[in-house]
Amino acid sequence: MIKDKVAEVKDTMARACKIAGRNSSEVSLIAVSKTKPVSMLLEAYEAGCRDFGENKVQELTDKYSQLPDDIRWHMIGHLQRNKVKYIVGKVFLIHSVDSLKLAEEISREAVKKKVTVNILVEINVAEEESKFGISCGEASALVEKIALLPGICVKGLMTIAPYVENAEENRQYFVKLRQLCVDIKNKNIDNVSMDILSMGMTGDYAVAVEEGATYVRVGTGIFGDRNYEM
Ligand SMILES: *Cc1c(COP(=O)(O)O)cnc(C)c1O
């Protein structure tokens, strides 16, 4: 049952908070519902979930139109510039900004729609070939450039850690992302807050919470395995 899974994940998050001496209210759960039908999202909604993560624009907007409007939608997947217009005004937070060009497009669309779009910069902390995101070394300069654009506000950083059997192997990357976030925050850049750290997935979210995550993104742990052939 999705309800039991949500309770289980929240329990694990609370335990990780306790270990780290953090208040549970500092960390929110994003139910990653990609590939899953609306009926399952509704079950998670009934279980108290209000933050949902999707990685495809079309799927996000389809579900957006069918589900209650107090849901906060998170765009967590790679975003193409030509699709920005479909989600600005609908998403609560875009986690996957990894270039100035993409940020400029979001800014243009935000100004046009007279809204402010909150975003995270995606960092490829482990420098994996297969992943999107910029390197730690490029982060600060990109944040400074995005900060100058109207209608867009940098709120923090996001990473997708490597797929590992033992979550402890990813602790180093979570530590690194958090440190990077603190370093950029200490620059006190206008229009930049750096209070959000989106890190941790089904396999490693407890470790991510121990190391300072403010959002964890859990899919399989709530909805079960994904079948991409569906
Ligand atoms: C799919 C996905 C998740 C959730 O992954 P699980 O291992 O199923 O928890 C989290 N973040 C991003 C960016 C994803 O694409």
Side-chain angles (χ1 to χ4, degrees), residues 148-163:
L148 301 173
L149 303 172
I152 182 168
C153 193
V154 182
K155 294 289 183 186
L157 304 176
M158 176 272 224
T159 198
I160 304 174
Y163 180 79

Side-chain angles (χ1 to χ4, degrees), residues 76 95-96 120-123 156-160 177 198 217:
I76 61 172
H95 294 231
S96 45
L120 306 178
V121 170
E122 180 172 352
I123 312 288
L157 304 176
M158 176 272 224
T159 198
I160 304 174
L177 193 73
S198 169
R217 310 178 307 265

Side-chain angles (χ1 to χ4, degrees), residues 3-59:
K3 186 164 158 265
D4 302 319
K5 293 290 185 188
V6 170
E8 206 179 297
V9 171
K10 287 195 170 162
D11 236 48
T12 304
M13 288 168 66
R15 252 181 289 126
C17 279
K18 206 160 178 196
I19 289 169
R22 303 181 65 198
N23 192 315
S24 285
S25 65
E26 293 170 27
V27 196
S28 303
L29 170 64
I30 298 174
V32 177
S33 46
K34 62 193 186 197
T35 79
K36 299 298 177 184
V38 162
S39 60
M40 287 179 86
L41 277 72
L42 271 175
E43 268 188 68
Y45 181 89
E46 299 295 336
C49 292
R50 291 297 177 272
D51 291 276
F52 288 82
E54 290 284 339
N55 68 340
K56 293 212 164 66
V57 167
Q58 176 79 53
E59 194 175 341

Side-chain angles (χ1 to χ4, degrees), residues 135-189:
S135 70
C136 290
E138 296 168 307
S140 168
L142 179 59
V143 171
E144 281 176 24
K145 285 181 193 134
I146 297 175
L148 301 173
L149 303 172
I152 182 168
C153 193
V154 182
K155 294 289 183 186
L157 304 176
M158 176 272 224
T159 198
I160 304 174
Y163 180 79
V164 289
E165 288 291 325
N166 176 4
E168 283 300 329
E169 290 172 38
N170 280 341
R171 189 181 294 274
Q172 55 177 323
Y173 301 122
F174 299 141
V175 169
K176 209 169 165 195
L177 193 73
R178 180 182 176 180
Q179 190 54 54
L180 181 61
C181 201
V182 170
D183 289 346
I184 297 174
K185 189 182 172 75
N186 286 342
K187 296 190 171 194
N188 287 316
I189 306 163

